[in-house]
Amino acid sequence: MPGFFSSFFQWLSGLFFSKTADITVVGLQASGKTSFVNVITSGQWSEDVVPTVAFNFRKIRKGNVTMNVWDVAGQPKFRSMWERYCNGVNAIVFVVDSTDHGNFETARFELQQLLAQPSLSGVPLLVLGNKNDLDGHASVNDIIQALQLSKIQDRPVSCYSCSMKSQHNLDIVLQWLAGRSH
């Protein structure tokens, strides 16, 4: 019987105390953006992910938080759309392939271009160094240095090393995202 009351209370409090977080996921192509969205929505990772064309939208409920997630394509021709989908959100998630050291400079440039937009001033940033299950992945400190995250002063910035495949650190990432809800 105590389990019933606990479940009922959670359901009832979810009705009256639910929160929403609008989140946009961006990053270079093949960094793991869509895999991230798939894993947090279904708990399933797949190697057969079709590259996103333009954007995908998913609604995810975790506890009393509903997350509206925009997964925006990372190919060069779609990067000009990033600002539009990041405008007015509670958080920007920037996914980096932590094994693709050769693209860190491009990732830094694109992130700096995005964050320079006045409409995005103050929007919290979460950088995910994906694919930490693979040999040769960059550490969090390497990613912070390569993307010059310590120079970002106009918003909260967090960086985590994670793996969509093994789901390493995704619980912390979800807590961080839920903390951005209103």
Side-chain angles (χ1 to χ4, degrees):
M1 202 61 145
F4 169 77
F5 287 115
S6 175
S7 296
F8 177 73
F9 179 73
Q10 284 180 331
W11 173 80
L12 190 61
S13 65
L15 288 177
F16 297 105
F17 302 107
S18 62
K19 299 178 178 185
T20 302
D22 295 322
I23 298 157
T24 299
V25 181
V26 294
L28 303 184
Q29 66 273 20
S31 59
K33 300 175 300 297
T34 302
S35 292
F36 169 66
V37 174
N38 289 344
V39 167
I40 65 173
T41 55
S42 70
Q44 301 295 312
W45 179 84
S46 172
E47 199 155 321
D48 301 322
V49 176
V50 176
T52 301
V53 175
F55 68 89
N56 289 318
F57 175 79
R58 301 283 279 278
K59 192 172 262 202
I60 306 160
R61 183 148 176 104
K62 296 290 181 188
N64 68 334
V65 178
T66 300
M67 293 183 229
N68 299 314
V69 182
W70 294 95
D71 168 17
V72 187
Q75 297 90 338
K77 66 181 177 182
F78 294 112
R79 293 176 193 164
S80 62
M81 296 178 7
W82 290 0
E83 179 192 3
R84 182 177 342 152
Y85 288 96
C86 291
N87 195 359
V89 299
N90 301 101
I92 297 168
V93 178
F94 191 83
V95 182
V96 177
D97 179 343
S98 66
T99 65
D100 191 1
H101 300 266
N103 262 332
F104 285 176
E105 189 174 325
T106 303
R108 179 190 50 76
F109 174 80
E110 294 295 345
L111 179 61
Q112 287 177 347
Q113 293 287 65
L114 177 66
L115 298 181
Q117 302 304 315
S119 64
L120 304 181
S121 180
V123 177
L125 172 67
L126 175 61
V127 175
L128 300 180
N130 187 27
K131 305 182 185 181
N132 74 4
D133 56 308
L134 299 176
D135 290 337
H137 71 272
S139 69
V140 167
N141 287 337
D142 292 339
I143 293 169
I144 290 170
Q145 186 174 12
L147 300 184
Q148 300 177 354
L149 299 180
S150 59
K151 292 184 178 181
I152 300 171
Q153 302 296 318
D154 66 339
R155 70 192 71 239
V157 178
S158 294
C159 182
Y160 294 106
S161 177
C162 60
S163 167
M164 300 315 136
K165 185 176 183 179
S166 70
Q167 299 185 18
H168 178 255
N169 272 349
L170 289 188
D171 53 341
I172 295 168
V173 169
L174 285 171
Q175 287 175 9
W176 190 95
L177 291 172
R180 306 298 151 243
S181 61
H182 61 279

